[in-house]
Amino acid sequence: MPARRSSRRLPFDRPLQVEWVTLGLWAACMALWAGSLVWGGGPVAWAVLVFALVLHASLTHEVLHGHPFPSRAASEALVVVNPGLFIPYVRFRDTHLAHHQDATLTDPYDDPETNYVDPVVWRRMPAVVRAVLRVNNTLAGRMLVGPLVAQISFMIGDWRAIRAGDGQVLRGWVLHMPGVVLVLGVVSLSAMPLWAYLASCYAALSVLKIRTFLEHQAHEKARGRTVIIEDRGPLAFLFLNNNFHVVHHMHPRVPWYRLPALYRAHRDRYLRSNEEYRYRSYAEVFARHFLRAKDPVPHPLWSSDR
């Protein structure tokens, strides 16, 4: 929903002052990350590390949407070094903001975050690739192999863009690499084994796949493509209320801690808007889709004539 120009601050404008709730959460997140490295070994330390890495990814999402500082540079300074290692901040920012073009949501070519493929491309894929993508279309598969599938696809796409002369993609990776060296250097000096740190990074991506698994569906109407999951539990907090996803897409500048109240105040409106694409909780998502795909891999409404 576009913002109207006004002399008053609107909830989707860039903040006029520091959002201390988000900044405080970032500080707590980094303290947990550092504490897990000091603790070093054992399941509890690794679980804390995974929690911190997932939360950091959610905070990174907040930053690219304009929080917590009025200054974009100040906000991005908080997350430009990614302790999760695998995704450069600049690339995440650019692809995610491109994803926010609601008219192209789920488009196999124009939506950089879609898991759908062109049916023509699907028919040409080797059988083993189709098998992996079918597994990836269940929640269990998305958590198990999804991070690897997504990372390979992402890096192949970026490599092709760099070879074609895309300087912005190259810049994203160049800015990312010093942070990778810094994080790995810190880990090497800590009590955390490197293999355990890398495994935790993968596990964090697996948890994040729960959030993205069914955020969008194929639907003839653009407004019917974005989900609401009415959950207020631990996963909702870890994902910073992005389960109220249609609210976020309609008001991308609203900070995470205001989304639940905004949804409660206008629940019927949002559910009418997204054609009742709703789940009661993440427990329902697991029950319905842990071993069963929510939809096919080839886009069910896609025509190459489009």
Side-chain angles (χ1 to χ4, degrees):
M1 179 176 291
R4 296 188 308 169
R5 295 294 179 186
S6 171
S7 60
R8 294 188 309 162
R9 178 190 172 191
L10 295 175
F12 31 80
D13 288 337
R14 185 172 292 278
L16 298 179
Q17 56 189 357
V18 177
E19 295 174 344
W20 291 105
V21 174
T22 302
L23 185 59
L25 187 61
W26 174 84
C29 173
M30 297 311 296
L32 287 173
W33 177 78
S36 70
L37 295 185
V38 172
W39 194 342
V44 175
W46 300 336
V48 170
L49 177 58
V50 171
F51 181 94
L53 292 172
V54 174
L55 187 56
H56 187 275
S58 297
L59 287 163
T60 300
H61 175 258
E62 285 293 297
V63 165
L64 66 85
H65 281 296
H67 313 281
F69 295 114
S71 164
R72 170 176 160 177
S75 296
E76 292 189 338
L78 298 176
V79 298
V80 69
V81 175
N82 177 14
L85 297 178
F86 296 129
I87 305 296
Y89 168 73
V90 171
R91 295 298 300 128
F92 177 43
R93 181 194 66 198
D94 292 350
T95 57
H96 185 74
L97 293 179
H99 160 79
H100 264 265
Q101 301 299 318
D102 284 7
T104 59
L105 283 174
T106 77
D107 187 299
Y109 297 102
D110 292 335
D111 181 359
E113 296 186 8
T114 190
N115 285 284
Y116 293 104
V117 301
D118 184 331
V120 173
V121 174
W122 172 256
R123 289 192 293 269
R124 295 172 181 167
M125 285 181 175
V128 66
V129 175
R130 291 201 301 268
V132 170
L133 293 182
R134 286 193 184 99
V135 170
N136 188 52
N137 234 28
T138 66
L139 182 54
R142 191 67 59 86
M143 295 176 68
L144 182 63
V145 302
L148 184 61
V149 169
Q151 190 70 24
I152 291 173
S153 176
F154 173 68
M155 294 183 75
I156 289 174
D158 273 15
W159 175 242
R160 289 173 176 167
I162 290 170
R163 290 187 63 186
D166 192 323
Q168 177 67 4
V169 174
L170 178 60
R171 175 176 173 271
W173 283 97
V174 168
L175 291 174
H176 178 61
M177 295 314 296
V180 172
V181 173
L182 175 63
V183 170
L184 292 179
V186 171
V187 172
S188 71
L189 297 174
S190 75
M192 175 74 66
L194 180 59
W195 68 264
Y197 190 87
L198 295 176
S200 297
C201 289
Y202 192 93
L205 290 177
S206 295
V207 175
L208 287 165
K209 292 300 180 185
I210 301 170
R211 177 179 67 80
T212 60
F213 177 67
L214 45 62
E215 282 182 341
H216 301 287
Q217 67 172 348
H219 197 284
E220 286 286 359
K221 298 177 181 178
R223 64 188 181 90
R225 297 173 189 165
T226 305
V227 77
I228 286 288
I229 302 175
E230 296 176 320
D231 197 301
R232 297 302 308 278
L235 285 176
F237 169 74
L238 200 54
F239 302 149
L240 297 186
N241 296 321
N242 216 12
N243 48 299
F244 298 103
H245 205 56
V246 77
V247 184
H248 167 64
H249 266 257
M250 293 176 73
H251 310 290
R253 291 293 179 87
V254 171
W256 63 276
Y257 48 87
R258 293 180 180 168
L259 292 175
L262 187 58
Y263 176 68
R264 286 195 304 270
H266 306 285
R267 180 178 184 273
D268 291 344
R269 170 197 169 199
Y270 291 120
L271 292 177
R272 285 195 305 271
S273 176
N274 81 338
E275 301 288 321
E276 299 281 340
Y277 183 31
R278 177 185 73 95
Y279 289 79
R280 293 187 301 275
S281 65
Y282 281 109
E284 181 185 1
V285 175
F286 271 85
R288 291 175 59 179
H289 298 300
F290 189 67
L291 296 175
R292 184 176 61 191
K294 74 181 183 72
D295 47 18
V297 181
H299 199 296
L301 303 176
W302 181 260
S303 169
S304 295
D305 295 338
R306 296 169 65 180

